[in-house]
Amino acid sequence: MIEADGLRKRYKDGTVALKRVSFRLDKKISAIIGRNGAGKTTLMRILSTQMMPTSGSATINGLDVIKQADEIRKIAVSIPQEARPVDYMPAVDCVKLYLAARGFGSKQAKVSAEKALRTVGLGDSMDKIAYELSGGMKRKVFVAMAIASNADVIFLDEPTTGLDPFSRVEVWSAIRAIKGQVILTTHYMEEAQALSNDVLMIEAGKIFAQGTVDQLLRPFNGLVRVESQRKKGTAYKVGSTWVSYVKKGMAKSLVGKDDIIKPVTLDDLFIKRGVNLES
Ligand SMILES: Nc1ncnc2c1ncn2[C@@H]1O[C@H](COP(=O)(O)OP(=O)(O)OP(=O)(O)O)[C@@H](O)[C@H]1O
Ligand SMILES: [Mg+2]
């Protein structure tokens, strides 16, 4: 269980990346969603004890991120957003070494490393030098480390960014199989929807919503999204497209032939806030 109370982060250059956020994460898997620069990595760094907040406090399973950081590091692991193995050693050894550093015996480290690498789809490449793996494969080596770690709490900062759709599904199943609590960040609404029963929505350093996907989508119940090249009624501009929401049964009669009707997703929460999504 993770609890944050008034967490604020002001970087040296004056950027305020977190504006007194308070929340509780107690579900098996929680997803943090927000646009580039929203403050997700800042939050993950603070919770995984890699960085101090400017003010406020947080606890992981009752342990204080400031005063009990050493104890948290024993029960929690984190995969930073930019982490890639660069070692000139086989992928399987990278994972083994990591597990050994976390206190695994050598035999257990080998068994767990191989199992985790197979789970993320690197069964055939685990003997390749990590440096020689593709970008997505390198990323998966880190996901394997986290999965194999058996930690109580696992922080994954954008675990599937850069992965192909098939690999993404592989990593999703691997994440579902993790025994401990998982906190992940993502830009993919479908990823949050696929994995998590608890979604934290963050924008400009503030949390503006938290709940299950169903709860978050409740304001859109019975509506569909209509994408149009011309403005009609109450519409939100996303790039050069106008997005509006109409009752499901009305959609066919209301929309023109060039309009596109789509089911609503968590993307629509950002759109309704007037935020231009980039992807
Ligand atoms: N070391 C730093 N010094 C100054 N500003 C920083 C630093 N790290 C991050 N920031 C700023 O803090 C804000 C939040 O950044 P953060 O990395 O937490 O966002 P994010 O939600 O993880 O974005 P992304 O989806 O792009 O990874 C941004 O404005 C960023 O420029
Ligand atoms: Mg980030």
Side-chain angles (χ1 to χ4, degrees):
M1 152 122 93
I2 292 169
E3 285 182 293
D5 185 15
L7 277 185
R8 180 170 184 273
K9 180 68 189 183
R10 183 180 186 275
Y11 285 106
K12 277 202 195 83
D13 68 353
T15 307
V16 179
L18 286 180
K19 299 173 181 161
R20 295 197 174 87
V21 298
S22 302
F23 57 86
R24 171 198 287 223
L25 302 175
D26 54 9
K27 302 287 183 324
K28 181 76 180 46
I29 303 179
S30 297
I32 302 174
I33 290 194
R35 301 175 64 218
N36 293 134
K40 302 178 296 297
T41 296
T42 303
L43 183 56
M44 295 289 263
R45 283 189 190 137
I46 292 172
L47 295 177
S48 59
T49 74
Q50 297 161 61
M51 192 170 72
M52 299 273 268
T54 307
S55 57
S57 62
T59 58
I60 312 292
N61 290 358
L63 299 168
D64 187 296
V65 293
I66 300 168
K67 293 184 210 115
Q68 293 169 295
D70 285 347
E71 279 156 75
I72 290 177
R73 286 177 201 139
K74 287 181 201 146
I75 61 152
V77 298
S78 92
I79 303 190
Q81 181 171 358
E82 312 297 347
R84 302 281 187 285
V86 289
D87 307 75
Y88 288 91
M89 65 168 119
V92 65
D93 290 351
C94 295
V95 181
K96 265 160 60 184
L97 210 66
Y98 176 78
L99 295 177
R102 289 199 63 84
F104 281 55
S106 68
K107 190 151 177 231
Q108 191 54 47
K110 183 174 186 299
V111 173
S112 301
E114 288 175 358
K115 186 172 169 225
L117 286 162
R118 277 195 300 271
T119 311
V120 297
L122 287 181
D124 293 335
S125 322
M126 62 171 84
D127 293 321
K128 256 194 133 167
I129 306 297
Y131 185 74
E132 293 171 348
L133 296 173
S134 78
M137 289 159 103
K138 285 182 186 151
R139 193 70 185 139
K140 285 178 166 187
V141 172
F142 264 80
V143 176
M145 287 177 186
I147 291 167
S149 72
N150 260 339
D152 295 339
V153 182
I154 296 180
F155 296 98
L156 305 171
D157 197 354
E158 296 191 25
T160 68
T161 297
L163 299 193
D164 67 69
F166 185 83
S167 297
R168 187 166 290 154
V169 174
E170 274 176 330
V171 168
W172 288 354
S173 2
I175 291 173
R176 284 194 201 99
I178 291 175
K179 289 197 193 75
Q181 183 179 0
V182 178
I183 295 90
L184 60 93
T185 68
T186 181
H187 293 130
Y188 306 109
M189 310 296 151
E190 47 166 322
E191 179 157 302
Q193 279 169 319
L195 280 179
S196 173
N197 29 28
D198 187 26
V199 182
L200 205 64
M201 315 274 298
I202 178 168
E203 175 63 24
K206 281 190 187 154
I207 289 161
F208 69 89
Q210 180 179 8
T212 64
V213 172
D214 282 352
Q215 284 167 348
L216 293 169
L217 289 182
R218 206 159 280 160
F220 295 95
N221 268 357
L223 300 178
V224 289
R225 163 172 163 183
V226 177
E227 293 179 7
S228 176
Q229 292 316 302
R230 280 169 297 116
K231 184 173 193 291
K232 40 174 119 179
T234 308
Y236 304 85
K237 200 157 192 231
V238 181
S240 61
T241 301
W242 291 95
V243 174
S244 54
Y245 300 94
V246 301
K247 287 211 179 95
K248 238 176 233 162
M250 308 282 279
K252 285 243 163 60
S253 58
L254 279 177
V255 305
K257 66 174 171 27
D258 295 331
D259 297 345
I260 302 167
I261 305 173
K262 287 184 181 168
V264 290
T265 72
L266 293 176
D267 281 334
D268 296 290
L269 268 103
F270 286 98
I271 292 172
K272 255 202 142 166
R273 288 173 65 79
V275 165
N276 279 0
L277 291 173
E278 273 158 29
S279 56

Short mmCIF file of all heavy atoms in Angstrom, two decimals, residues 161-207:
data_model
loop_
_atom_site.label_atom_id
_atom_site.label_comp_id
_atom_site.label_asym_id
_atom_site.label_seq_id
_atom_site.Cartn_x
_atom_site.Cartn_y
_atom_site.Cartn_z
N THR A 161 6.94 1.22 -23.37
CA THR A 161 7.24 2.20 -24.40
C THR A 161 8.31 1.65 -25.34
O THR A 161 9.33 1.13 -24.89
CB THR A 161 7.71 3.52 -23.76
OG1 THR A 161 6.63 4.01 -22.97
CG2 THR A 161 8.09 4.56 -24.79
N GLY A 162 8.06 1.72 -26.62
CA GLY A 162 9.03 1.21 -27.60
C GLY A 162 8.85 -0.25 -27.93
O GLY A 162 9.60 -0.80 -28.74
N LEU A 163 7.86 -0.89 -27.31
CA LEU A 163 7.65 -2.31 -27.63
C LEU A 163 6.59 -2.45 -28.72
O LEU A 163 5.65 -1.66 -28.79
CB LEU A 163 7.18 -3.07 -26.39
CG LEU A 163 8.12 -3.10 -25.17
CD1 LEU A 163 7.64 -4.15 -24.18
CD2 LEU A 163 9.54 -3.41 -25.59
N ASP A 164 6.76 -3.47 -29.56
CA ASP A 164 5.76 -3.72 -30.60
C ASP A 164 4.48 -4.25 -29.94
O ASP A 164 4.52 -4.68 -28.78
CB ASP A 164 6.32 -4.71 -31.63
CG ASP A 164 6.52 -6.09 -31.04
OD1 ASP A 164 5.52 -6.76 -30.73
OD2 ASP A 164 7.69 -6.50 -30.85
N PRO A 165 3.36 -4.22 -30.67
CA PRO A 165 2.08 -4.60 -30.05
C PRO A 165 2.08 -6.02 -29.48
O PRO A 165 1.50 -6.27 -28.42
CB PRO A 165 1.08 -4.50 -31.21
CG PRO A 165 1.71 -3.58 -32.18
CD PRO A 165 3.19 -3.74 -32.05
N PHE A 166 2.75 -6.94 -30.14
CA PHE A 166 2.79 -8.31 -29.64
C PHE A 166 3.60 -8.39 -28.35
O PHE A 166 3.17 -8.99 -27.36
CB PHE A 166 3.39 -9.23 -30.71
CG PHE A 166 3.36 -10.68 -30.33
CD1 PHE A 166 2.21 -11.44 -30.52
CD2 PHE A 166 4.48 -11.28 -29.76
CE1 PHE A 166 2.17 -12.77 -30.15
CE2 PHE A 166 4.45 -12.62 -29.38
CZ PHE A 166 3.30 -13.37 -29.58
N SER A 167 4.76 -7.73 -28.36
CA SER A 167 5.61 -7.72 -27.16
C SER A 167 4.88 -7.08 -26.00
O SER A 167 5.03 -7.47 -24.84
CB SER A 167 6.89 -6.93 -27.41
OG SER A 167 7.64 -7.54 -28.41
N ARG A 168 4.10 -6.05 -26.32
CA ARG A 168 3.37 -5.34 -25.28
C ARG A 168 2.42 -6.32 -24.57
O ARG A 168 2.36 -6.35 -23.35
CB ARG A 168 2.60 -4.19 -25.93
CG ARG A 168 1.94 -3.30 -24.94
CD ARG A 168 1.50 -2.02 -25.59
NE ARG A 168 2.63 -1.18 -25.95
CZ ARG A 168 2.62 -0.29 -26.91
NH1 ARG A 168 1.54 -0.14 -27.66
NH2 ARG A 168 3.68 0.43 -27.15
N VAL A 169 1.75 -7.14 -25.36
CA VAL A 169 0.83 -8.11 -24.77
C VAL A 169 1.60 -9.13 -23.92
O VAL A 169 1.17 -9.53 -22.84
CB VAL A 169 -0.02 -8.80 -25.87
CG1 VAL A 169 -0.87 -9.92 -25.28
CG2 VAL A 169 -0.91 -7.77 -26.55
N GLU A 170 2.79 -9.51 -24.40
CA GLU A 170 3.63 -10.44 -23.62
C GLU A 170 3.99 -9.82 -22.27
O GLU A 170 3.91 -10.46 -21.22
CB GLU A 170 4.95 -10.72 -24.37
CG GLU A 170 4.87 -11.83 -25.37
CD GLU A 170 6.18 -11.97 -26.14
OE1 GLU A 170 6.90 -10.97 -26.34
OE2 GLU A 170 6.47 -13.08 -26.55
N VAL A 171 4.39 -8.54 -22.32
CA VAL A 171 4.79 -7.88 -21.08
C VAL A 171 3.58 -7.69 -20.16
O VAL A 171 3.69 -7.83 -18.94
CB VAL A 171 5.52 -6.55 -21.37
CG1 VAL A 171 5.69 -5.71 -20.12
CG2 VAL A 171 6.88 -6.82 -22.00
N TRP A 172 2.41 -7.44 -20.75
CA TRP A 172 1.21 -7.32 -19.93
C TRP A 172 0.97 -8.61 -19.15
O TRP A 172 0.69 -8.56 -17.95
CB TRP A 172 -0.03 -7.04 -20.79
CG TRP A 172 -0.09 -5.66 -21.35
CD1 TRP A 172 0.78 -4.63 -21.08
CD2 TRP A 172 -1.03 -5.15 -22.30
NE1 TRP A 172 0.42 -3.52 -21.81
CE2 TRP A 172 -0.69 -3.81 -22.55
CE3 TRP A 172 -2.14 -5.70 -22.95
CZ2 TRP A 172 -1.41 -3.00 -23.43
CZ3 TRP A 172 -2.87 -4.90 -23.81
CH2 TRP A 172 -2.50 -3.57 -24.06
N SER A 173 1.10 -9.76 -19.83
CA SER A 173 0.85 -11.00 -19.08
C SER A 173 1.89 -11.18 -18.00
O SER A 173 1.59 -11.66 -16.91
CB SER A 173 0.78 -12.25 -19.95
OG SER A 173 1.02 -11.97 -21.27
N ALA A 174 3.13 -10.78 -18.31
CA ALA A 174 4.18 -10.89 -17.30
C ALA A 174 3.85 -10.00 -16.11
O ALA A 174 4.02 -10.40 -14.95
CB ALA A 174 5.52 -10.49 -17.90
N ILE A 175 3.35 -8.81 -16.36
CA ILE A 175 3.02 -7.89 -15.26
C ILE A 175 1.86 -8.45 -14.43
O ILE A 175 1.87 -8.40 -13.21
CB ILE A 175 2.68 -6.48 -15.82
CG1 ILE A 175 3.95 -5.84 -16.38
CG2 ILE A 175 2.05 -5.60 -14.74
CD1 ILE A 175 3.74 -4.53 -17.10
N ARG A 176 0.89 -9.03 -15.12
CA ARG A 176 -0.25 -9.63 -14.38
C ARG A 176 0.21 -10.75 -13.47
O ARG A 176 -0.40 -11.00 -12.43
CB ARG A 176 -1.29 -10.18 -15.36
CG ARG A 176 -2.13 -9.10 -15.99
CD ARG A 176 -3.36 -9.71 -16.67
NE ARG A 176 -3.88 -8.78 -17.66
CZ ARG A 176 -3.63 -8.86 -18.98
NH1 ARG A 176 -2.90 -9.85 -19.46
NH2 ARG A 176 -4.11 -7.96 -19.80
N ALA A 177 1.28 -11.43 -13.86
CA ALA A 177 1.74 -12.58 -13.07
C ALA A 177 2.58 -12.17 -11.85
O ALA A 177 2.89 -13.00 -11.01
CB ALA A 177 2.55 -13.52 -13.96
N ILE A 178 2.92 -10.89 -11.75
CA ILE A 178 3.73 -10.42 -10.62
C ILE A 178 2.93 -10.59 -9.33
O ILE A 178 1.74 -10.27 -9.28
CB ILE A 178 4.14 -8.94 -10.82
CG1 ILE A 178 5.14 -8.84 -11.98
CG2 ILE A 178 4.73 -8.36 -9.54
CD1 ILE A 178 5.53 -7.41 -12.33
N LYS A 179 3.59 -11.10 -8.30
CA LYS A 179 2.86 -11.34 -7.06
C LYS A 179 2.67 -10.09 -6.21
O LYS A 179 1.67 -9.91 -5.55
CB LYS A 179 3.59 -12.40 -6.23
CG LYS A 179 3.47 -13.78 -6.85
CD LYS A 179 3.82 -14.88 -5.83
CE LYS A 179 4.00 -16.20 -6.53
NZ LYS A 179 5.28 -16.29 -7.27
N GLY A 180 3.65 -9.19 -6.25
CA GLY A 180 3.59 -8.00 -5.40
C GLY A 180 2.69 -6.91 -6.00
O GLY A 180 2.02 -7.12 -7.01
N GLN A 181 2.70 -5.75 -5.35
CA GLN A 181 1.93 -4.61 -5.85
C GLN A 181 2.71 -3.93 -6.98
O GLN A 181 3.92 -3.75 -6.88
CB GLN A 181 1.69 -3.61 -4.71
CG GLN A 181 0.83 -2.42 -5.15
CD GLN A 181 0.55 -1.41 -4.05
OE1 GLN A 181 0.99 -1.56 -2.90
NE2 GLN A 181 -0.18 -0.36 -4.40
N VAL A 182 2.02 -3.59 -8.04
CA VAL A 182 2.68 -2.96 -9.19
C VAL A 182 2.14 -1.55 -9.40
O VAL A 182 0.93 -1.32 -9.37
CB VAL A 182 2.43 -3.78 -10.48
CG1 VAL A 182 3.06 -3.10 -11.69
CG2 VAL A 182 2.95 -5.20 -10.33
N ILE A 183 3.07 -0.61 -9.59
CA ILE A 183 2.67 0.75 -9.94
C ILE A 183 3.38 1.05 -11.25
O ILE A 183 4.61 0.99 -11.33
CB ILE A 183 3.11 1.78 -8.88
CG1 ILE A 183 2.37 1.51 -7.57
CG2 ILE A 183 2.79 3.21 -9.31
CD1 ILE A 183 3.09 0.58 -6.66
N LEU A 184 2.61 1.33 -12.28
CA LEU A 184 3.25 1.59 -13.56
C LEU A 184 2.76 2.90 -14.16
O LEU A 184 1.66 3.35 -13.85
CB LEU A 184 3.01 0.43 -14.53
CG LEU A 184 1.59 0.06 -14.91
CD1 LEU A 184 1.17 0.78 -16.19
CD2 LEU A 184 1.48 -1.43 -15.14
N THR A 185 3.60 3.48 -15.00
CA THR A 185 3.16 4.67 -15.72
C THR A 185 3.01 4.28 -17.18
O THR A 185 3.67 3.35 -17.65
CB THR A 185 4.17 5.82 -15.65
OG1 THR A 185 5.33 5.44 -16.38
CG2 THR A 185 4.55 6.14 -14.22
N THR A 186 2.13 4.95 -17.86
CA THR A 186 1.94 4.65 -19.26
C THR A 186 1.30 5.83 -19.98
O THR A 186 0.65 6.66 -19.35
CB THR A 186 1.08 3.38 -19.44
OG1 THR A 186 0.94 3.10 -20.83
CG2 THR A 186 -0.31 3.53 -18.83
N HIS A 187 1.49 5.88 -21.29
CA HIS A 187 0.76 6.85 -22.11
C HIS A 187 -0.41 6.16 -22.79
O HIS A 187 -1.20 6.79 -23.45
CB HIS A 187 1.65 7.44 -23.21
CG HIS A 187 2.74 8.29 -22.66
ND1 HIS A 187 4.04 8.14 -23.02
CD2 HIS A 187 2.72 9.29 -21.77
CE1 HIS A 187 4.79 9.01 -22.38
NE2 HIS A 187 4.01 9.72 -21.60
N TYR A 188 -0.44 4.85 -22.66
CA TYR A 188 -1.44 4.08 -23.41
C TYR A 188 -2.66 3.80 -22.56
O TYR A 188 -2.58 3.04 -21.59
CB TYR A 188 -0.84 2.77 -23.91
CG TYR A 188 0.42 2.97 -24.70
CD1 TYR A 188 1.65 2.59 -24.17
CD2 TYR A 188 0.38 3.56 -25.96
CE1 TYR A 188 2.82 2.79 -24.88
CE2 TYR A 188 1.54 3.76 -26.68
CZ TYR A 188 2.75 3.37 -26.13
OH TYR A 188 3.91 3.57 -26.83
N MET A 189 -3.76 4.43 -22.93
CA MET A 189 -5.00 4.22 -22.18
C MET A 189 -5.39 2.75 -22.21
O MET A 189 -5.86 2.20 -21.24
CB MET A 189 -6.15 5.03 -22.81
CG MET A 189 -5.80 6.48 -23.05
SD MET A 189 -5.47 7.36 -21.53
CE MET A 189 -4.34 8.60 -22.10
N GLU A 190 -5.16 2.11 -23.37
CA GLU A 190 -5.56 0.70 -23.47
C GLU A 190 -4.72 -0.16 -22.53
O GLU A 190 -5.17 -1.17 -22.03
CB GLU A 190 -5.43 0.18 -24.91
CG GLU A 190 -4.14 0.57 -25.46
CD GLU A 190 -3.71 -0.14 -26.74
OE1 GLU A 190 -3.96 -1.35 -26.91
OE2 GLU A 190 -3.08 0.53 -27.53
N GLU A 191 -3.48 0.29 -22.27
CA GLU A 191 -2.63 -0.46 -21.35
C GLU A 191 -3.20 -0.38 -19.94
O GLU A 191 -3.31 -1.38 -19.24
CB GLU A 191 -1.22 0.11 -21.38
CG GLU A 191 -0.25 -0.58 -20.44
CD GLU A 191 1.18 -0.39 -20.90
OE1 GLU A 191 1.49 -0.78 -22.04
OE2 GLU A 191 1.98 0.16 -20.14
N ALA A 192 -3.58 0.83 -19.56
CA ALA A 192 -4.19 1.00 -18.24
C ALA A 192 -5.47 0.18 -18.16
O ALA A 192 -5.73 -0.52 -17.18
CB ALA A 192 -4.48 2.47 -17.98
N GLN A 193 -6.26 0.25 -19.23
CA GLN A 193 -7.52 -0.48 -19.23
C GLN A 193 -7.30 -1.99 -19.17
O GLN A 193 -8.03 -2.71 -18.51
CB GLN A 193 -8.35 -0.11 -20.47
CG GLN A 193 -9.09 1.20 -20.26
CD GLN A 193 -9.72 1.76 -21.52
OE1 GLN A 193 -9.11 1.72 -22.59
NE2 GLN A 193 -10.90 2.31 -21.41
N ALA A 194 -6.24 -2.44 -19.85
CA ALA A 194 -5.99 -3.88 -19.89
C ALA A 194 -5.45 -4.41 -18.56
O ALA A 194 -5.69 -5.55 -18.20
CB ALA A 194 -5.00 -4.20 -21.01
N LEU A 195 -4.71 -3.57 -17.86
CA LEU A 195 -3.95 -4.09 -16.72
C LEU A 195 -4.52 -3.74 -15.35
O LEU A 195 -4.31 -4.47 -14.40
CB LEU A 195 -2.54 -3.51 -16.75
CG LEU A 195 -1.54 -4.15 -17.68
CD1 LEU A 195 -0.22 -3.42 -17.56
CD2 LEU A 195 -1.36 -5.61 -17.34
N SER A 196 -5.19 -2.61 -15.28
CA SER A 196 -5.31 -2.05 -13.96
C SER A 196 -6.73 -1.84 -13.50
O SER A 196 -7.62 -1.51 -14.29
CB SER A 196 -4.57 -0.71 -13.96
OG SER A 196 -4.82 -0.10 -12.76
N ASN A 197 -6.92 -2.02 -12.21
CA ASN A 197 -8.23 -1.73 -11.63
C ASN A 197 -8.17 -0.41 -10.86
O ASN A 197 -9.05 -0.11 -10.08
CB ASN A 197 -8.68 -2.87 -10.74
CG ASN A 197 -7.49 -3.60 -10.15
OD1 ASN A 197 -6.43 -2.99 -9.97
ND2 ASN A 197 -7.62 -4.87 -9.87
N ASP A 198 -7.09 0.33 -11.07
CA ASP A 198 -6.95 1.60 -10.35
C ASP A 198 -6.10 2.54 -11.21
O ASP A 198 -4.94 2.24 -11.48
CB ASP A 198 -6.25 1.34 -9.01
CG ASP A 198 -6.20 2.57 -8.14
OD1 ASP A 198 -7.08 3.45 -8.29
OD2 ASP A 198 -5.30 2.66 -7.30
N VAL A 199 -6.69 3.62 -11.65
CA VAL A 199 -5.97 4.53 -12.55
C VAL A 199 -5.90 5.92 -11.93
O VAL A 199 -6.89 6.46 -11.45
CB VAL A 199 -6.68 4.62 -13.93
CG1 VAL A 199 -5.90 5.53 -14.86
CG2 VAL A 199 -6.84 3.24 -14.53
N LEU A 200 -4.68 6.45 -11.93
CA LEU A 200 -4.45 7.79 -11.39
C LEU A 200 -4.15 8.69 -12.58
O LEU A 200 -3.25 8.42 -13.36
CB LEU A 200 -3.21 7.69 -10.48
CG LEU A 200 -2.98 8.66 -9.36
CD1 LEU A 200 -4.06 8.52 -8.31
CD2 LEU A 200 -1.62 8.36 -8.70
N MET A 201 -4.94 9.75 -12.72
CA MET A 201 -4.76 10.62 -13.88
C MET A 201 -4.05 11.89 -13.42
O MET A 201 -4.53 12.58 -12.51
CB MET A 201 -6.11 11.01 -14.49
CG MET A 201 -7.11 9.88 -14.65
SD MET A 201 -6.98 8.93 -16.17
CE MET A 201 -7.30 10.15 -17.40
N ILE A 202 -2.93 12.20 -14.03
CA ILE A 202 -2.12 13.34 -13.59
C ILE A 202 -1.91 14.31 -14.74
O ILE A 202 -1.71 13.90 -15.88
CB ILE A 202 -0.79 12.83 -12.96
CG1 ILE A 202 0.10 13.96 -12.51
CG2 ILE A 202 -0.04 11.92 -13.89
CD1 ILE A 202 1.26 13.49 -11.63
N GLU A 203 -1.99 15.59 -14.41
CA GLU A 203 -1.81 16.62 -15.43
C GLU A 203 -1.16 17.83 -14.77
O GLU A 203 -1.63 18.30 -13.73
CB GLU A 203 -3.19 16.98 -16.03
CG GLU A 203 -3.19 18.12 -17.02
CD GLU A 203 -2.37 17.83 -18.27
OE1 GLU A 203 -2.16 16.66 -18.62
OE2 GLU A 203 -1.91 18.81 -18.88
N ALA A 204 -0.06 18.30 -15.35
CA ALA A 204 0.65 19.48 -14.83
C ALA A 204 0.88 19.40 -13.32
O ALA A 204 0.65 20.36 -12.59
CB ALA A 204 -0.13 20.75 -15.18
N GLY A 205 1.36 18.24 -12.86
CA GLY A 205 1.74 18.09 -11.46
C GLY A 205 0.59 17.92 -10.49
O GLY A 205 0.79 17.94 -9.28
N LYS A 206 -0.64 17.75 -11.03
CA LYS A 206 -1.79 17.57 -10.14
C LYS A 206 -2.56 16.32 -10.54
O LYS A 206 -2.67 16.01 -11.73
CB LYS A 206 -2.76 18.74 -10.28
CG LYS A 206 -2.32 19.96 -9.53
CD LYS A 206 -3.46 20.97 -9.55
CE LYS A 206 -3.00 22.29 -8.95
NZ LYS A 206 -3.77 23.41 -9.47
N ILE A 207 -3.11 15.64 -9.55
CA ILE A 207 -3.95 14.48 -9.86
C ILE A 207 -5.38 14.98 -10.02
O ILE A 207 -5.92 15.62 -9.13
CB ILE A 207 -3.84 13.45 -8.73
CG1 ILE A 207 -2.45 12.82 -8.79
CG2 ILE A 207 -4.92 12.37 -8.87
CD1 ILE A 207 -2.03 12.15 -7.54
#
